[in-house]
Amino acid sequence: MRILLHSDHLKMVEKSGVGRAIYHQIKALEDNHISYTTNKKENYDIVHINTVFPSSYLMAKIAKAKGKKVVYHAHSTEEDFKNSFRGSNFIAPFFKKWLMKCYNSGDVIITPTLYSKRILEGYGLKKPIANISNGIDLEFFKKDTEGGRRFREKYHFNEQDKIIISVGLYIERKGILDFVELAKAMPEYKFIWFGYTNLNTVTNEVKKAVETRLPNLYFPGYISREELKDAYSGSDLFLFLTHEETEGIVLLEALSMKIPVLIRDIPIYKGWFKDGENIYTGNDLPQFEYKIQGIISQTLPSLVEQGYEVVKEKDIKEVGKQLISVYSNLMKQPQYALGRKSMLKPYVMSNLR
């Protein structure tokens, strides 16, 4: 069994969650000794598609014509496309139709969470849907004291500075507007947002937020995963104010690093986390302010170990085993039967809830 991990225009997505997920798939297959290629000209049995460009859809059709099996990875939904780029809300219904066309071209659909699976099921997709986490490299994302020092030295922070970080594209959905408002309201803390989006593509509100000039607000842009590990190691709080996700890989990274985390209370995390037990959550700016102060001053108890217990179940090695189960199940099905929900129902019901 050989897998083609196919992602069109990788340069366009490599700095996003999709790009990180592709890296995780490669690592998961390598850790589980599964043969794979990223070159579509080489021989393969199953193509695993991660992108939704027209050429991605065409790849699925070509693979089917050659008698190959197709796994389509659903990283996006209409819901998480909204409130992203300029004009995204107008385009969103059309984008949903395109997503459905792409995803239905697969023999099986993989999506990161039960939450996103339920959204996709609501679209009326005709193919079986498996929820498998994008995963986290627990061996890599471990707190590094020396890395934390490097981070503070690079950005000229001292040991007494209290640093709050977030990671994501410059889009409203990621909570960047609230992040800037909190920086305005809490000048005693340093607020750093890692990530980048061309400001010509974002809304006026987001552009104004990114261009805000405050002595405690920083937008260094995109950094490598090694630098990001240093940033996690050297910060006092990871603030994740996203309004909508299919999973949120950076949240998994922060939890793996065992640093304090504060997130927005949104539906996707209802089954994972409980406020005050394994993570801290908030709904509005006053709640975020209160909990930021409590977490950093340590008047609220640390929940880093409890958060780690949640994330360690999403280790890349375990993700690899789940991917292999999907691939193996597909390889057992005769070509003419692919796409019937009944063919994959036992696996979906027993392993992918």
Side-chain angles (χ1 to χ4, degrees):
M1 179 173 67
R2 195 166 197 230
I3 312 301
L4 168 60
L5 292 177
H6 181 76
S7 305
D8 287 309
H9 308 295
L10 189 56
K11 286 291 183 184
M12 294 177 63
V13 300
E14 65 180 352
K15 296 180 180 180
S16 69
V18 175
R20 197 74 60 86
I22 294 165
Y23 169 80
H24 287 179
Q25 289 164 18
I26 291 172
K27 182 84 165 53
L29 295 186
E30 288 178 347
D31 286 352
N32 286 276
H33 310 292
I34 297 299
S35 177
Y36 76 93
T37 179
T38 57
N39 185 350
K40 64 184 178 181
K41 294 181 180 180
E42 295 183 6
N43 189 42
Y44 63 93
D45 301 295
I46 297 173
V47 58
H48 185 151
I49 302 175
N50 283 277
T51 45
V52 292
F53 299 108
S55 51
S56 311
Y57 173 75
L58 181 61
M59 182 67 213
K61 291 299 184 183
I62 291 172
K64 285 282 191 71
K66 292 180 176 179
K68 309 294 185 180
K69 316 295 175 63
V70 179
V71 173
Y72 221 115
H73 213 118
H75 295 287
S76 301
T77 64
E78 177 190 20
E79 287 73 10
D80 74 4
F81 182 73
K82 291 178 179 178
N83 298 312
S84 54
F85 304 100
R86 186 175 295 175
S88 61
N89 288 6
F90 174 77
I91 298 170
F94 305 99
F95 184 63
K96 175 183 175 180
K97 291 182 179 180
W98 173 249
L99 289 179
M100 292 175 65
K101 188 178 182 69
C102 289
Y103 297 160
N104 270 326
S105 69
D107 298 308
V108 63
I109 301 164
I110 294 178
T111 196
T113 58
L114 183 58
Y115 172 79
S116 56
K117 178 184 176 182
R118 287 170 177 163
I119 288 176
L120 294 174
E121 287 174 339
Y123 291 178
L125 294 168
K126 299 175 182 178
K127 303 300 171 69
I129 305 171
N131 60 285
I132 300 177
S133 172
N134 286 317
I136 177 67
D137 188 348
L138 294 177
E139 289 300 313
F140 180 82
F141 285 103
K142 289 182 177 179
K143 197 158 189 174
D144 179 354
T145 302
E146 184 56 37
R149 290 196 193 98
R150 282 196 300 268
F151 162 70
R152 288 187 175 241
E153 288 175 3
K154 179 176 180 178
Y155 294 98
H156 308 293
F157 298 129
N158 61 46
E159 291 183 2
Q160 287 70 46
D161 286 327
K162 300 301 181 183
I163 302 172
I164 298 168
I165 68 168
S166 195
V167 183
L169 300 173
Y170 297 160
I171 55 179
E172 186 175 342
R173 173 176 65 82
K174 292 290 185 181
I176 196 168
L177 301 184
D178 282 348
F179 188 84
V180 172
E181 289 304 309
L182 287 167
K184 292 177 182 178
M186 309 181 83
E188 66 272 30
Y189 303 132
K190 308 294 186 183
F191 286 76
I192 310 177
W193 185 287
F194 292 107
Y196 175 78
T197 304
N198 188 320
L199 291 181
N200 292 323
T201 68
V202 304
T203 64
N204 290 333
E205 292 82 3
V206 169
K207 183 177 181 181
K208 183 179 178 181
V210 174
E211 291 177 344
T212 299
R213 295 291 175 260
L214 293 172
N216 67 325
L217 178 63
Y218 307 83
F219 290 98
Y222 177 82
I223 58 176
S224 69
R225 71 194 289 262
E226 289 77 16
E227 291 176 292
L228 185 55
K229 179 181 176 181
D230 287 354
Y232 287 134
S233 297
S235 62
D236 297 283
L237 174 66
F238 178 72
L239 187 59
F240 197 48
L241 302 179
T242 182
H243 293 269
E244 181 70 30
E245 291 292 325
T246 54
E247 184 168 45
I249 290 178
V250 292
L251 174 58
L252 305 186
E253 293 172 352
L255 291 168
S256 178
M257 295 290 299
K258 295 187 178 181
I259 64 170
V261 174
L262 173 60
I263 65 173
R264 191 184 300 275
D265 184 13
I266 56 176
I268 183 174
Y269 299 127
K270 294 293 186 185
W272 297 16
F273 301 111
K274 190 168 182 181
D275 182 41
E277 289 191 8
N278 51 21
I279 207 165
Y280 286 108
T281 71
N283 290 301
D284 53 32
L285 289 174
Q287 285 188 14
F288 293 138
E289 278 193 59
Y290 169 76
K291 291 192 176 179
I292 287 170
Q293 290 171 343
I295 292 168
I296 292 182
S297 68
Q298 298 182 6
T299 55
L300 289 174
S302 173
L303 298 176
V304 297
E305 293 296 338
Q306 293 89 328
Y308 183 78
E309 287 300 310
V310 176
V311 78
K312 74 178 186 180
E313 298 174 0
K314 301 179 184 296
D315 182 62
I316 279 183
K317 293 184 178 65
E318 180 58 31
V319 168
K321 293 175 185 176
Q322 294 179 37
L323 289 175
I324 291 166
S325 293
V326 170
Y327 298 152
S328 298
N329 190 281
L330 272 180
M331 291 298 294
K332 294 174 185 176
Q333 309 306 326
Q335 186 65 29
Y336 70 87
L338 290 175
R340 294 182 187 173
K341 289 190 177 182
S342 59
M343 299 301 290
L344 285 177
K345 187 175 181 182
Y347 177 74
V348 173
M349 294 299 290
S350 62
N351 294 289
L352 299 173
R353 289 187 175 182

mmCIF file of all heavy atoms in Angstrom, residues 176-201:
data_model
loop_
_atom_site.group_PDB
_atom_site.id
_atom_site.type_symbol
_atom_site.label_atom_id
_atom_site.label_comp_id
_atom_site.label_asym_id
_atom_site.label_seq_id
_atom_site.Cartn_x
_atom_site.Cartn_y
_atom_site.Cartn_z
ATOM 1 N N ILE A 176 -8.572 38.427 16.193
ATOM 2 C CA ILE A 176 -7.510 39.433 16.238
ATOM 3 C C ILE A 176 -8.005 40.791 16.728
ATOM 4 O O ILE A 176 -7.267 41.535 17.369
ATOM 5 C CB ILE A 176 -6.818 39.547 14.854
ATOM 6 C CG1 ILE A 176 -5.489 40.285 14.979
ATOM 7 C CG2 ILE A 176 -7.748 40.192 13.826
ATOM 8 C CD1 ILE A 176 -4.632 40.188 13.729
ATOM 9 N N LEU A 177 -9.274 41.110 16.477
ATOM 10 C CA LEU A 177 -9.805 42.395 16.928
ATOM 11 C C LEU A 177 -9.849 42.454 18.454
ATOM 12 O O LEU A 177 -9.463 43.459 19.064
ATOM 13 C CB LEU A 177 -11.200 42.633 16.341
ATOM 14 C CG LEU A 177 -11.304 42.641 14.813
ATOM 15 C CD1 LEU A 177 -12.730 42.982 14.383
ATOM 16 C CD2 LEU A 177 -10.328 43.632 14.196
ATOM 17 N N ASP A 178 -10.312 41.397 19.087
ATOM 18 C CA ASP A 178 -10.338 41.345 20.551
ATOM 19 C C ASP A 178 -8.928 41.323 21.132
ATOM 20 O O ASP A 178 -8.674 41.884 22.207
ATOM 21 C CB ASP A 178 -11.111 40.118 21.034
ATOM 22 C CG ASP A 178 -12.615 40.308 20.937
ATOM 23 O OD1 ASP A 178 -13.060 41.448 20.716
ATOM 24 O OD2 ASP A 178 -13.349 39.310 21.079
ATOM 25 N N PHE A 179 -7.999 40.667 20.436
ATOM 26 C CA PHE A 179 -6.608 40.614 20.891
ATOM 27 C C PHE A 179 -6.036 42.024 21.012
ATOM 28 O O PHE A 179 -5.396 42.371 22.020
ATOM 29 C CB PHE A 179 -5.783 39.784 19.907
ATOM 30 C CG PHE A 179 -4.380 39.484 20.359
ATOM 31 C CD1 PHE A 179 -4.125 38.406 21.190
ATOM 32 C CD2 PHE A 179 -3.308 40.258 19.933
ATOM 33 C CE1 PHE A 179 -2.826 38.103 21.606
ATOM 34 C CE2 PHE A 179 -2.007 39.965 20.341
ATOM 35 C CZ PHE A 179 -1.774 38.886 21.178
ATOM 36 N N VAL A 180 -6.298 42.849 20.009
ATOM 37 C CA VAL A 180 -5.796 44.225 20.023
ATOM 38 C C VAL A 180 -6.488 45.040 21.109
ATOM 39 O O VAL A 180 -5.853 45.845 21.806
ATOM 40 C CB VAL A 180 -5.963 44.871 18.640
ATOM 41 C CG1 VAL A 180 -5.631 46.357 18.684
ATOM 42 C CG2 VAL A 180 -5.073 44.161 17.611
ATOM 43 N N GLU A 181 -7.799 44.841 21.279
ATOM 44 C CA GLU A 181 -8.528 45.565 22.325
ATOM 45 C C GLU A 181 -7.990 45.213 23.710
ATOM 46 O O GLU A 181 -7.898 46.072 24.592
ATOM 47 C CB GLU A 181 -10.022 45.259 22.236
ATOM 48 C CG GLU A 181 -10.716 45.868 21.031
ATOM 49 C CD GLU A 181 -10.538 47.375 20.963
ATOM 50 O OE1 GLU A 181 -10.799 48.059 21.988
ATOM 51 O OE2 GLU A 181 -10.114 47.875 19.900
ATOM 52 N N LEU A 182 -7.636 43.951 23.924
ATOM 53 C CA LEU A 182 -7.072 43.545 25.211
ATOM 54 C C LEU A 182 -5.695 44.176 25.436
ATOM 55 O O LEU A 182 -5.352 44.553 26.558
ATOM 56 C CB LEU A 182 -6.983 42.022 25.283
ATOM 57 C CG LEU A 182 -8.328 41.308 25.465
ATOM 58 C CD1 LEU A 182 -8.172 39.811 25.194
ATOM 59 C CD2 LEU A 182 -8.886 41.544 26.860
ATOM 60 N N ALA A 183 -4.914 44.294 24.365
ATOM 61 C CA ALA A 183 -3.612 44.958 24.484
ATOM 62 C C ALA A 183 -3.787 46.418 24.894
ATOM 63 O O ALA A 183 -3.016 46.952 25.704
ATOM 64 C CB ALA A 183 -2.850 44.861 23.167
ATOM 65 N N LYS A 184 -4.822 47.061 24.367
ATOM 66 C CA LYS A 184 -5.113 48.451 24.742
ATOM 67 C C LYS A 184 -5.503 48.551 26.221
ATOM 68 O O LYS A 184 -5.100 49.481 26.918
ATOM 69 C CB LYS A 184 -6.246 49.002 23.876
ATOM 70 C CG LYS A 184 -5.915 49.194 22.414
ATOM 71 C CD LYS A 184 -7.147 49.671 21.656
ATOM 72 C CE LYS A 184 -6.865 49.841 20.163
ATOM 73 N NZ LYS A 184 -8.080 50.250 19.415
ATOM 74 N N ALA A 185 -6.302 47.579 26.665
ATOM 75 C CA ALA A 185 -6.845 47.626 28.026
ATOM 76 C C ALA A 185 -5.861 47.157 29.091
ATOM 77 O O ALA A 185 -6.048 47.458 30.273
ATOM 78 C CB ALA A 185 -8.116 46.770 28.098
ATOM 79 N N MET A 186 -4.802 46.437 28.674
ATOM 80 C CA MET A 186 -3.888 45.829 29.647
ATOM 81 C C MET A 186 -2.442 46.164 29.289
ATOM 82 O O MET A 186 -1.652 45.303 28.885
ATOM 83 C CB MET A 186 -4.104 44.309 29.677
ATOM 84 C CG MET A 186 -5.560 43.913 29.857
ATOM 85 S SD MET A 186 -5.851 42.128 29.931
ATOM 86 C CE MET A 186 -5.492 41.836 31.673
ATOM 87 N N PRO A 187 -2.052 47.426 29.428
ATOM 88 C CA PRO A 187 -0.705 47.855 29.018
ATOM 89 C C PRO A 187 0.417 47.235 29.847
ATOM 90 O O PRO A 187 1.585 47.301 29.448
ATOM 91 C CB PRO A 187 -0.754 49.377 29.207
ATOM 92 C CG PRO A 187 -1.820 49.597 30.240
ATOM 93 C CD PRO A 187 -2.840 48.539 29.980
ATOM 94 N N GLU A 188 0.073 46.614 30.976
ATOM 95 C CA GLU A 188 1.105 45.999 31.817
ATOM 96 C C GLU A 188 1.630 44.686 31.243
ATOM 97 O O GLU A 188 2.630 44.145 31.729
ATOM 98 C CB GLU A 188 0.563 45.759 33.233
ATOM 99 C CG GLU A 188 -0.560 44.733 33.342
ATOM 100 C CD GLU A 188 -1.965 45.299 33.157
ATOM 101 O OE1 GLU A 188 -2.112 46.290 32.410
ATOM 102 O OE2 GLU A 188 -2.902 44.751 33.764
ATOM 103 N N TYR A 189 0.966 44.157 30.200
ATOM 104 C CA TYR A 189 1.382 42.897 29.577
ATOM 105 C C TYR A 189 1.825 43.135 28.131
ATOM 106 O O TYR A 189 1.357 44.058 27.463
ATOM 107 C CB TYR A 189 0.231 41.883 29.575
ATOM 108 C CG TYR A 189 -0.325 41.574 30.948
ATOM 109 C CD1 TYR A 189 -1.699 41.593 31.174
ATOM 110 C CD2 TYR A 189 0.512 41.267 32.015
ATOM 111 C CE1 TYR A 189 -2.221 41.312 32.435
ATOM 112 C CE2 TYR A 189 -0.001 40.987 33.276
ATOM 113 C CZ TYR A 189 -1.372 41.009 33.477
ATOM 114 O OH TYR A 189 -1.885 40.740 34.724
ATOM 115 N N LYS A 190 2.720 42.267 27.659
ATOM 116 C CA LYS A 190 3.160 42.305 26.266
ATOM 117 C C LYS A 190 2.292 41.352 25.439
ATOM 118 O O LYS A 190 2.142 40.184 25.803
ATOM 119 C CB LYS A 190 4.625 41.875 26.151
ATOM 120 C CG LYS A 190 5.583 42.614 27.085
ATOM 121 C CD LYS A 190 5.701 44.082 26.729
ATOM 122 C CE LYS A 190 6.770 44.752 27.591
ATOM 123 N NZ LYS A 190 6.868 46.204 27.318
ATOM 124 N N PHE A 191 1.732 41.842 24.346
ATOM 125 C CA PHE A 191 0.870 41.041 23.475
ATOM 126 C C PHE A 191 1.565 40.848 22.124
ATOM 127 O O PHE A 191 1.890 41.818 21.448
ATOM 128 C CB PHE A 191 -0.473 41.732 23.251
ATOM 129 C CG PHE A 191 -1.404 41.682 24.443
ATOM 130 C CD1 PHE A 191 -1.198 42.516 25.543
ATOM 131 C CD2 PHE A 191 -2.485 40.810 24.465
ATOM 132 C CE1 PHE A 191 -2.046 42.482 26.641
ATOM 133 C CE2 PHE A 191 -3.345 40.762 25.553
ATOM 134 C CZ PHE A 191 -3.134 41.594 26.649
ATOM 135 N N ILE A 192 1.780 39.573 21.751
ATOM 136 C CA ILE A 192 2.474 39.269 20.499
ATOM 137 C C ILE A 192 1.616 38.332 19.661
ATOM 138 O O ILE A 192 1.196 37.271 20.140
ATOM 139 C CB ILE A 192 3.840 38.605 20.747
ATOM 140 C CG1 ILE A 192 4.652 39.401 21.768
ATOM 141 C CG2 ILE A 192 4.609 38.474 19.439
ATOM 142 C CD1 ILE A 192 5.976 38.750 22.107
ATOM 143 N N TRP A 193 1.389 38.710 18.421
ATOM 144 C CA TRP A 193 0.608 37.878 17.487
ATOM 145 C C TRP A 193 1.548 37.375 16.398
ATOM 146 O O TRP A 193 2.098 38.154 15.625
ATOM 147 C CB TRP A 193 -0.520 38.691 16.868
ATOM 148 C CG TRP A 193 -1.433 37.883 15.980
ATOM 149 C CD1 TRP A 193 -1.144 37.403 14.727
ATOM 150 C CD2 TRP A 193 -2.767 37.473 16.273
ATOM 151 N NE1 TRP A 193 -2.227 36.718 14.215
ATOM 152 C CE2 TRP A 193 -3.236 36.737 15.146
ATOM 153 C CE3 TRP A 193 -3.619 37.647 17.362
ATOM 154 C CZ2 TRP A 193 -4.521 36.198 15.085
ATOM 155 C CZ3 TRP A 193 -4.902 37.106 17.298
ATOM 156 C CH2 TRP A 193 -5.343 36.394 16.178
ATOM 157 N N PHE A 194 1.730 36.059 16.333
ATOM 158 C CA PHE A 194 2.557 35.460 15.288
ATOM 159 C C PHE A 194 1.671 34.952 14.152
ATOM 160 O O PHE A 194 0.639 34.313 14.381
ATOM 161 C CB PHE A 194 3.372 34.298 15.851
ATOM 162 C CG PHE A 194 4.438 34.732 16.820
ATOM 163 C CD1 PHE A 194 4.301 34.501 18.187
ATOM 164 C CD2 PHE A 194 5.578 35.378 16.370
ATOM 165 C CE1 PHE A 194 5.271 34.897 19.084
ATOM 166 C CE2 PHE A 194 6.563 35.780 17.253
ATOM 167 C CZ PHE A 194 6.417 35.543 18.613
ATOM 168 N N GLY A 195 2.119 35.204 12.930
ATOM 169 C CA GLY A 195 1.353 34.826 11.749
ATOM 170 C C GLY A 195 1.301 36.012 10.806
ATOM 171 O O GLY A 195 1.692 37.136 11.164
ATOM 172 N N TYR A 196 0.822 35.760 9.596
ATOM 173 C CA TYR A 196 0.816 36.840 8.604
ATOM 174 C C TYR A 196 -0.243 36.596 7.546
ATOM 175 O O TYR A 196 -0.505 35.450 7.164
ATOM 176 C CB TYR A 196 2.184 36.959 7.928
ATOM 177 C CG TYR A 196 2.204 37.976 6.812
ATOM 178 C CD1 TYR A 196 2.280 39.336 7.102
ATOM 179 C CD2 TYR A 196 2.103 37.586 5.486
ATOM 180 C CE1 TYR A 196 2.277 40.285 6.088
ATOM 181 C CE2 TYR A 196 2.100 38.529 4.459
ATOM 182 C CZ TYR A 196 2.181 39.885 4.765
ATOM 183 O OH TYR A 196 2.160 40.811 3.776
ATOM 184 N N THR A 197 -0.853 37.685 7.098
ATOM 185 C CA THR A 197 -1.741 37.686 5.937
ATOM 186 C C THR A 197 -1.529 39.001 5.203
ATOM 187 O O THR A 197 -1.385 40.056 5.848
ATOM 188 C CB THR A 197 -3.226 37.569 6.360
ATOM 189 O OG1 THR A 197 -3.405 36.400 7.154
ATOM 190 C CG2 THR A 197 -4.128 37.474 5.141
ATOM 191 N N ASN A 198 -1.512 38.958 3.902
ATOM 192 C CA ASN A 198 -1.392 40.180 3.105
ATOM 193 C C ASN A 198 -2.545 41.121 3.467
ATOM 194 O O ASN A 198 -3.716 40.759 3.343
ATOM 195 C CB ASN A 198 -1.450 39.832 1.616
ATOM 196 C CG ASN A 198 -1.147 41.025 0.729
ATOM 197 O OD1 ASN A 198 -1.581 42.145 0.990
ATOM 198 N ND2 ASN A 198 -0.415 40.780 -0.342
ATOM 199 N N LEU A 199 -2.221 42.325 3.915
ATOM 200 C CA LEU A 199 -3.247 43.254 4.391
ATOM 201 C C LEU A 199 -4.168 43.731 3.269
ATOM 202 O O LEU A 199 -5.244 44.279 3.552
ATOM 203 C CB LEU A 199 -2.592 44.446 5.084
ATOM 204 C CG LEU A 199 -1.898 44.136 6.420
ATOM 205 C CD1 LEU A 199 -1.314 45.406 7.024
ATOM 206 C CD2 LEU A 199 -2.864 43.490 7.400
ATOM 207 N N ASN A 200 -3.784 43.523 2.033
ATOM 208 C CA ASN A 200 -4.667 43.888 0.921
ATOM 209 C C ASN A 200 -5.863 42.948 0.801
ATOM 210 O O ASN A 200 -6.831 43.259 0.108
ATOM 211 C CB ASN A 200 -3.888 43.885 -0.398
ATOM 212 C CG ASN A 200 -2.856 44.988 -0.461
ATOM 213 O OD1 ASN A 200 -3.083 46.095 0.034
ATOM 214 N ND2 ASN A 200 -1.709 44.697 -1.061
ATOM 215 N N THR A 201 -5.785 41.794 1.470
ATOM 216 C CA THR A 201 -6.857 40.803 1.360
ATOM 217 C C THR A 201 -7.795 40.799 2.564
ATOM 218 O O THR A 201 -8.797 40.092 2.559
ATOM 219 C CB THR A 201 -6.272 39.390 1.196
ATOM 220 O OG1 THR A 201 -5.617 38.999 2.417
ATOM 221 C CG2 THR A 201 -5.285 39.327 0.041
#
